[in-house]
Amino acid sequence: MTVRTRFAPSPTGYLHVGGARTALFSWLHAKKHQGIFILRIEDTDRERSTEASVQAIFDGMNWLGLKEDEGPYFQTDRFDRYKEVIKQLLDEGKAYRCYCSKERLDKLREQQMANKQKPRYDGCCRDLEHYPLDQPHVVRFRNPQQGTVVFNDLIKGTIEVANAELDDLIIARTDGTPTYNFTVVIDDMDMNITQVIRGDDHVNNTPRQINIFKALAAKEPEYAHVPMILGDDGKRLSKRHGAVGVMQYKDDGYLPEALLNYLVRLGWSHGDEEIFSVEEMIEYFDLKDVNRAPSTFNTDKLNWINQQYLIKKPLAELTETAHWYFEQQHIDVINGPALEDVVALMRERVNTLKELANNSRYFYEAVTELDEKAAKKHLKVSSAVALELFVKLAEQAKNWDQQTIHNLIEQVASELDIGMGKIGMPLRVAVTGSGASPAIDETLALIGKEQTLKRIPLALAYIEKRAANAQ
């Protein structure tokens, strides 16, 4: 039998980290077994579903490279099919119409909770003799009242639930629209899904869905419920932890392959290995190796993995990707050093491409202000002599490359009998505006002689002002 998995998000918001990991696990399981991965949009909640959310799901899946083999399918295109099966269940006595008012159900719930009972429908309309079609009603599934539902979760192991714990769930609302627990069964049945891989917040839905499969004499799929992702405070990951849509990670400068690598390691492992190519993920991934315990999202670990990918990615590819981030930061890379040279110099010093672009601004833009902390520490009155001598020697230099600049700095240090840092750090602050950059000779070589000499007077003016204030 061909393995067929699906990712079935509801388009009520962005594609979040938990959803992306579920999609990845489903995609990997299908690819490992040469199967089919299906994308299905569960949009029956018309009030909350939006086109923008549908597009956010598509954008996130495309950016991550999780391409579907079939779909995307939309549940709203399948309403006729759902009505057909609801009619079948009604005709076979496996479903019934329920006329209970909201007020009655609310009162029932209050009584049950007051009696410390589990809130559930009491079957009031289950055995009515007449079911008038012209009165407002919902349709409920006639859940078995005896026995148990037993299934082997591919991650959690054997799960058993007594049917007495399950009430007769609504499968069609008053307006006739079908509900989630019903539509998902019909879709999984019609699409021949073999493994349902989803978050463990769906564990309680599974026995209900299995009973519907049985009522339809259909073979249910295998289930694998993936534990949730927690924030570092031990609570479910949410916006307050900085958890955002997948595309926000793109905007923040993460590589899609790095985010995939991080997500696959959230609850799954292969020995002590940390870095996996997509091909290796497909080869090694196995549902039996998914941890039963929740995983904790760690941004520092994601940053480390992303940095590994920044370092190892072919330079030409990385430069092409990085260009978008410079544009987003409104940095014009036309007038300045080759972007590939800047990326090569900076990529080991940053965690993200957004950080790379931001930290590289001084290669392309004049420095108009100095970092106060760095200036106060390194632009002392004694630094002026070193900077002025460097300017004098640099103006006479015929070449402007890394070795030439290194020699100039050594010459200043030698003539003034100071350490290399006494000229290197003031020079760094003067030309980049801050106290952090790659090696100063490499940095100045890329910035160029003309720009370097143009920027030093700002630092000298700062030192002059500092000297005047000290008097």
Side-chain angles (χ1 to χ4, degrees):
M1 181 182 292
T2 301
V3 165
R4 292 172 64 85
T5 67
R6 48 72 160 182
F7 177 54
S10 298
T12 56
Y14 48 71
L15 175 62
H16 56 80
V17 167
R21 184 186 62 166
T22 300
L24 173 60
F25 283 8
S26 297
W27 185 86
L28 288 174
H29 184 73
K31 295 304 167 189
K32 182 179 182 66
H33 297 281
Q34 295 80 50
I36 302 297
F37 173 68
I38 295 165
L39 177 59
R40 186 172 78 216
I41 305 299
E42 299 192 336
D43 58 346
T44 54
D45 188 342
R46 290 172 163 177
E47 288 185 6
R48 297 177 62 219
S49 298
T50 66
E51 284 298 319
S53 295
V54 171
Q55 192 58 52
I57 291 166
F58 291 165
D59 290 346
M61 295 291 282
N62 289 335
W63 181 64
L64 290 172
L66 301 178
K67 178 64 179 168
E68 69 274 10
D69 301 300
E70 284 185 19
Y73 297 113
F74 291 83
Q75 287 187 327
T76 47
D77 293 337
R78 291 173 47 78
F79 274 17
D80 288 346
R81 171 60 175 154
Y82 304 139
K83 287 179 182 177
E84 173 189 315
V85 180
I86 288 170
K87 183 178 184 302
Q88 174 190 335
L89 290 173
L90 285 168
D91 290 346
E92 294 175 356
K94 295 172 181 176
Y96 61 93
R97 295 178 177 86
C98 173
Y99 302 88
C100 292
S101 66
K102 182 178 183 299
E103 289 74 23
R104 180 189 182 276
L105 295 175
D106 287 344
K107 188 174 181 180
L108 173 65
R109 180 182 177 86
E110 287 175 12
Q111 290 174 342
Q112 290 171 331
M113 293 185 73
N115 295 331
K116 297 184 178 179
Q117 297 174 321
K118 180 179 178 180
R120 59 199 302 276
Y121 181 62
D122 61 357
C124 175
C125 297
R126 186 180 176 101
D127 297 312
L128 292 178
E129 292 185 7
H130 302 287
Y131 292 97
L133 298 179
D134 59 348
Q135 292 185 26
H137 63 272
V138 298
V139 176
R140 290 183 181 272
F141 173 67
R142 194 183 295 272
N143 195 76
Q145 294 179 306
Q146 306 296 322
T148 60
V149 180
V150 182
F151 66 97
N152 179 44
D153 191 290
L154 298 176
I155 295 173
K156 294 181 175 294
T158 301
I159 295 176
E160 182 173 355
V161 178
N163 278 316
E165 292 292 311
L166 308 173
D167 58 1
D168 294 347
L169 63 88
I170 295 171
I171 59 176
R173 302 179 183 92
T174 308
D175 63 1
T177 57
T179 60
Y180 165 78
N181 273 306
F182 174 72
T183 58
V184 72
V185 170
I186 310 310
D187 291 343
D188 287 344
M189 178 179 72
D190 289 353
M191 296 174 190
N192 298 309
I193 301 301
T194 56
Q195 285 82 32
V196 170
I197 301 166
R198 59 188 179 187
D200 65 1
D201 52 333
H202 287 286
V203 167
N204 291 337
N205 292 326
T206 302
R208 296 175 167 86
Q209 294 171 10
I210 288 175
N211 279 339
I212 298 175
F213 273 106
K214 289 178 177 177
L216 293 168
K219 178 177 172 54
E220 69 266 19
E222 295 180 294
Y223 290 91
H225 290 95
V226 182
M228 68 177 67
I229 301 173
L230 304 178
D232 52 17
D233 59 358
K235 296 182 180 179
R236 184 166 187 158
L237 194 67
S238 66
K239 284 184 179 180
R240 71 175 180 276
H241 297 104
V244 287
V246 162
M247 295 308 287
Q248 185 65 49
Y249 286 95
K250 177 191 176 184
D251 293 345
D252 288 345
Y254 293 93
L255 293 169
E257 54 267 43
L259 184 56
L260 283 179
N261 192 144
Y262 180 71
L263 291 178
V264 81
R265 287 286 287 109
L266 275 180
W268 173 84
S269 61
H270 181 74
D272 295 326
E273 292 182 45
E274 295 283 359
I275 305 297
F276 299 92
S277 66
V278 171
E279 292 73 24
E280 288 171 332
M281 290 184 209
I282 294 171
E283 179 183 352
Y284 300 143
F285 183 78
D286 196 314
L287 285 170
K288 68 178 176 60
D289 296 325
V290 175
N291 201 320
R292 295 184 184 187
S295 305
T296 301
F297 195 92
N298 185 316
T299 302
D300 289 339
K301 186 64 173 289
L302 172 59
N303 286 340
W304 178 82
I305 288 177
N306 199 61
Q307 186 183 55
Q308 302 309 302
Y309 277 86
L310 291 178
I311 293 169
K312 295 173 183 176
K313 194 174 182 69
L315 182 58
E317 287 181 32
L318 185 63
T319 303
E320 185 177 350
T321 304
H323 190 272
W324 182 82
Y325 294 90
F326 281 81
E327 289 182 336
Q328 294 303 302
Q329 299 295 317
H330 306 291
I331 300 172
D332 184 358
V333 299
I334 299 300
N335 298 315
L339 182 57
E340 187 168 292
D341 293 339
V342 172
V343 171
L345 186 59
M346 295 292 289
R347 64 174 169 177
E348 293 189 24
R349 301 177 60 85
V350 297
N351 292 321
T352 69
L353 286 171
K354 183 176 181 179
E355 186 184 353
L356 189 152
N358 243 338
N359 292 2
S360 301
R361 188 177 294 275
Y362 57 77
F363 286 106
Y364 299 99
E365 297 178 359
V367 173
T368 56
E369 59 182 51
L370 306 173
D371 176 77
E372 184 58 35
K373 186 176 179 181
K376 189 174 182 180
K377 182 176 181 180
H378 299 293
L379 295 182
K380 300 176 180 176
V381 175
S382 58
S383 305
V385 176
L387 287 174
E388 288 168 348
L389 179 56
F390 179 85
V391 169
K392 180 181 177 182
L393 295 174
E395 286 174 339
Q396 298 169 359
K398 294 181 179 179
N399 298 319
W400 193 258
D401 52 38
Q402 184 179 345
Q403 187 58 55
T404 300
I405 296 164
H406 181 78
N407 293 342
L408 289 175
I409 293 172
E410 277 194 333
Q411 188 176 345
V412 170
S414 176
E415 289 192 21
L416 298 180
D417 194 22
I418 57 176
M420 295 274 281
K422 296 292 186 180
I423 173 58
M425 284 308 300
L427 199 52
R428 175 174 280 110
V429 176
V431 181
T432 70
S434 76
S437 80
I440 190 62
D441 48 9
E442 291 181 278
T443 301
L444 299 192
L446 278 186
I447 289 174
K449 179 177 178 178
E450 181 182 352
Q451 276 299 316
T452 296
L453 295 180
K454 272 186 178 180
R455 297 179 188 184
I456 293 176
L458 180 65
L460 291 172
Y462 175 91
I463 293 171
E464 185 177 346
K465 183 179 180 182
R466 186 173 183 177
N469 290 338
Q471 291 177 357

